[in-house]
Amino acid sequence: MKHPAAKRAEALPPYTFSKIQAKKKALVEQGLDIIDLGIGDPDLPTPGFIKERLIKELDDPANMRYSPFDGTREFREAVSTFYRRRFQVDLDPDTEVLMLIGSKEGLAHLVLSMVDPGDAVIVPDPSYPVYRMAAHLAGGRIYDLKLREALGFRPDFRDIPQDVLKRAKLAFLNYPGNPTGATVDLAFFEEAVAFFAEHGIWLVHDSAYNLVTFGDYQAPSVLQAEGAKDVAVEFGSLSKAFNMTGWRIGYAVGNRRVIQLLKTVKSNVDTGQFLPIQKAAAAALTSDLSVLATRNAIYEKRADVMIQALKAIGMSLQKPKGSIFLWAKVPDGETSASFCEKLLEEAGVILTPGSAFGPNGEGYCRISLSVPDERLVEAAERIRRVTDRS
Ligand SMILES: *Cc1c(COP(=O)(O)O)cnc(C)c1O
C-alpha cells in the first residue's frame, strides 16, 4: 500500500460509542424518535456555584494564558483537600496529585508511560474500553481478568496465570464499576493492594463514579488501603461526579513515581486545562458536596423505574449501589448484539451490548440512566411492548 499508516492505528477499531452513534444518526435522519440509553453522559446540569466560579474567572485576562502542565496549585490542593475530607487520605499536592484533561486522556497516557511492547496489561472483563485500547496502542498484551457475577462482579485474582503475573506491568480496577455498577468495600482494595504488591504490578484504580452512590453507601478509595501509595494510583474525574463531562477535567493521585512519569509524558503531549475550568473544578472539590445528594437520588429513582420494567419482562439484574448504569442479562435465546439491535430497530431504544466491554460481557447489556425521567419511563414502556410481542 502507498502512504501506509501505523499498524497500531489501522488495527484499532473505532471507539465503541462512535459506531453506535453513527447508526443512531442515520435513524434520526429518517425521522425516528430514538431514546439513547447507550452512552453515560449526565443530562442533569452542573451545579450553579461551579458555573458561577467559571463565569467570574472569565473576566481575568491572566486566565486566558497557558496553565501549568500539572495543573494549578489551587486545583491540586483542592484534590488533596477532597481526599483528606472524604477518605482521610493525605496527599502531597506537588508530588502525589496531577491534573488531567479528563480521566480518559490520563488513563491512556498512563499506559503509554508504563507499558512496553510485549508487556502484559491486566484488564477487567467487562470494563471501560479505554484500558484495553490504550494497552493495544502501547503494544501491550491484554489479559482479560474475568469479573465473576457470583462474586458481585469482582475478579478472583487467583485466575491470573503465573506467566501473566510475570509479564504484567499494570492492572486496572474500577468500582463503582462501568459497565456492571458493581461496588466494593475497603477490604477488597486491601486484598488487591496486597496481591499486586506481592507481584510487583502497578495497580490503577479508576474511580470515575466515586461520588455517584445511592443511599448510605460511600465508595472507598484504593488509597485508603494499607501500603497503597507504594503500588497504586487512582484516577478521578469531575465528569460524572459533578455533571461536567464536557468540561474535561480530572486527576490522578497516588504513587509519586507513577505520577512523575505520567506528568513527563503528558507535558510532552498536552498543555494543561483552561484556567477558569481548573478554578471552577477546585470550587467543586472543596465544596461540602451536599448538592450531590439530590442528583444521586434522581439516579436511584431512575434505576428503580427501569429495574421494575426489566424485571416485568423477565430480565434478571441487581440494583446497583452506585454508578449511572444498570447491567442486565439479555433474555434467553438472544445475544448481546441481537437483543440491542432488536431494541434499536423495533423500539427505537439504544442500549450498549455487553460484548462491547470485553468478551465476558457477552450475554448482557448496559443501560444508562443519564436521560431525563420521562424519556426513561418511555424507554421502559417501549422495551416492554417489544418483548411482549415476541
Ligand atoms: C466516563 C468514564 C471515564 C471518563 O471520564 P472523563 O474524565 O470524562 O474522561 C473514565 N472511566 C470510566 C469508568 C468512565 O465511565
Side-chain angles (χ1 to χ4, degrees):
M1 208 205 312
K2 272 188 185 168
H3 309 298
K7 290 190 186 68
R8 81 176 82 83
E10 289 189 323
L12 197 68
Y15 192 50
T16 313
F17 302 102
S18 61
K19 270 193 297 193
I20 298 171
Q21 291 308 309
K23 200 161 179 183
K24 172 183 171 184
K25 188 162 168 267
L27 289 168
V28 169
E29 274 163 12
Q30 288 169 34
L32 294 171
D33 173 35
I34 304 294
I35 305 178
D36 190 348
L37 310 182
I39 205 156
D41 189 356
D43 58 304
L44 298 163
T46 303
F49 72 94
I50 305 174
K51 292 188 282 191
E52 280 156 26
R53 178 79 193 266
L54 176 85
I55 291 164
K56 180 169 157 264
E57 298 297 341
L58 286 173
D59 283 332
D60 183 353
N63 283 339
M64 307 297 122
R65 313 193 69 189
Y66 284 130
S67 65
F69 291 112
D70 55 349
T72 61
R73 172 87 198 188
E74 182 197 13
F75 177 81
R76 286 180 281 108
E77 272 174 5
V79 173
S80 174
T81 300
F82 168 67
Y83 265 74
R84 194 172 51 249
R85 286 189 192 152
R86 182 81 178 174
F87 304 116
Q88 298 77 53
V89 167
D90 283 319
L91 293 172
D92 173 9
D94 291 324
T95 58
E96 295 176 325
V97 181
L98 181 63
M99 191 227 43
L100 304 172
I101 308 173
S103 58
K104 182 182 183 182
E105 163 271 297
L107 289 160
H109 281 138
L110 176 82
V111 177
L112 286 179
S113 317
M114 310 303 290
V115 174
D116 284 319
D119 291 343
V121 181
I122 297 170
V123 174
D125 178 17
S127 64
Y128 182 56
V130 173
Y131 318 139
R132 187 176 298 273
M133 292 308 160
H136 167 84
L137 282 175
R141 288 199 261 171
I142 295 149
Y143 173 76
D144 292 311
L145 177 59
K146 266 202 175 78
L147 301 184
R148 298 179 170 277
E149 178 157 19
L151 300 177
F153 293 107
R154 295 168 193 206
D156 183 341
F157 297 125
R158 290 168 306 186
D159 285 349
I160 310 170
Q162 281 304 321
D163 66 304
V164 172
L165 291 172
K166 279 205 198 89
R167 286 186 290 112
K169 283 266 188 69
L170 283 186
F172 286 95
L173 290 173
N174 163 225
Y175 294 99
N178 175 7
T180 64
T183 47
V184 294
D185 50 16
L186 184 55
F188 172 80
F189 284 144
E190 304 269 8
E191 182 195 339
V193 165
F195 180 84
F196 291 109
E198 183 191 334
H199 293 281
I201 298 168
W202 296 112
L203 172 59
V204 184
H205 181 242
D206 180 355
S207 70
Y209 297 94
N210 57 1
L211 295 179
V212 188
T213 52
F214 305 151
D216 294 336
Y217 176 74
Q218 280 211 10
S221 158
V222 74
L223 297 182
Q224 289 172 294
E226 178 89 29
K229 273 196 204 171
D230 296 334
V231 299
V233 283
E234 186 159 75
F235 283 71
S237 170
L238 285 278
S239 286
K240 317 313 183 339
F242 296 95
N243 310 332
M244 290 170 67
T245 46
W247 294 55
R248 311 309 304 137
I249 186 156
Y251 51 84
V253 294
N255 182 274
R256 57 182 70 190
R257 204 169 124 225
V258 179
I259 295 293
Q260 178 59 43
L261 284 165
L262 177 56
K263 178 170 149 182
T264 306
V265 168
K266 274 178 58 61
S267 60
N268 282 286
V269 181
D270 64 44
T271 306
Q273 176 52 288
F274 189 41
L275 287 164
I277 290 179
Q278 294 196 48
K279 293 180 182 205
L285 289 167
T286 52
S287 70
D288 65 8
L289 308 180
S290 58
V291 289
L292 303 181
T294 316
R295 187 276 313 272
N296 288 344
I298 293 173
Y299 284 140
E300 185 176 8
K301 198 179 117 229
R302 291 177 184 174
D304 289 333
V305 165
M306 197 39 118
I307 288 169
Q308 204 184 16
L310 295 176
K311 285 201 166 155
I313 61 167
M315 286 174 75
S316 120
L317 74 167
Q318 293 279 321
K319 179 171 170 181
K321 289 193 205 138
S323 95
I324 55 175
F325 302 112
L326 300 178
W327 182 242
K329 271 213 169 91
V330 300
D332 286 344
E334 301 273 7
T335 64
S336 293
S338 72
F339 183 64
C340 292
E341 209 169 295
K342 176 170 161 176
L343 285 189
L344 178 53
E345 281 164 11
E346 297 176 27
V349 174
I350 297 179
L351 307 185
T352 310
S355 48
F357 303 98
N360 192 41
E362 178 51 47
Y364 296 85
C365 57
R366 190 191 74 175
I367 300 134
S368 166
L369 303 170
S370 60
V371 297
D373 292 3
E374 62 280 6
R375 294 295 275 169
L376 199 85
V377 170
E378 162 80 13
E381 185 47 39
R382 290 192 198 176
I383 294 171
R384 205 179 343 228
R385 277 201 302 264
V386 166
T387 36
D388 266 359
R389 252 189 275 142
S390 51

